[in-house]
C-alpha cells in the first residue's frame, strides 16, 4: 500500500528540507509523493492519501509533517 502514514516521518521536524530529507521522509511514510509547503505559498486543497506534506518555515526547516 502507498497510503501515507506521517508518524514514521516525524524525524524530519526541525531539519532543513532538501532532496535527501524529502526522499527519506517519503519512504518512511510509505507515501508515493512528497510536497514541500513554504510560507505564503498557494497550494491546492485536494486530499491525496498517498502524499506526504512537509511544511517549512522561512529558513527551510520542517515545522510540520502531515499526509494529504
Amino acid at each position: 500500500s502507498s497510503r501515507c502514514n506521517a508518524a514514521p516521518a516525524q524525524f524530519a521536524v526541525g531539519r532543513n528540507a532538501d532532496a535527501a530529507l524529502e526522499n527519506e521522509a517519503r519512504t518512511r511514510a510509505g507515501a508515493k509523493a512528497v510536497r514541500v509547503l513554504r510560507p505564503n505559498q498557494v497550494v491546492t486543497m485536494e486530499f491525496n492519501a498517498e502524499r506526504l506534506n512537509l511544511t517549512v518555515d522561512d529558513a527551510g526547516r520542517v515545522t510540520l509533517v502531515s499526509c494529504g
Side-chain angles (χ1 to χ4, degrees):
S1 171
S2 59
R3 186 168 188 86
C4 178
N5 175 7
Q10 294 301 317
F11 77 94
V13 173
R15 296 178 59 183
N16 287 330
D18 61 17
L21 180 74
E22 291 170 29
N23 188 50
E24 185 176 354
R26 181 190 55 76
T27 300
R28 287 192 190 190
K32 277 191 175 180
V34 62
R35 71 175 172 177
V36 177
L37 304 174
R38 302 187 189 289
N40 303 313
Q41 177 181 346
V42 176
V43 296
T44 59
M45 296 303 293
E46 87 282 354
F47 182 81
N48 181 343
E50 298 176 340
R51 179 175 57 211
L52 180 69
N53 296 311
L54 300 177
T55 302
V56 299
D57 62 15
D58 287 328
R61 285 184 303 273
V62 177
T63 59
L64 178 69
V65 177
S66 62
C67 294

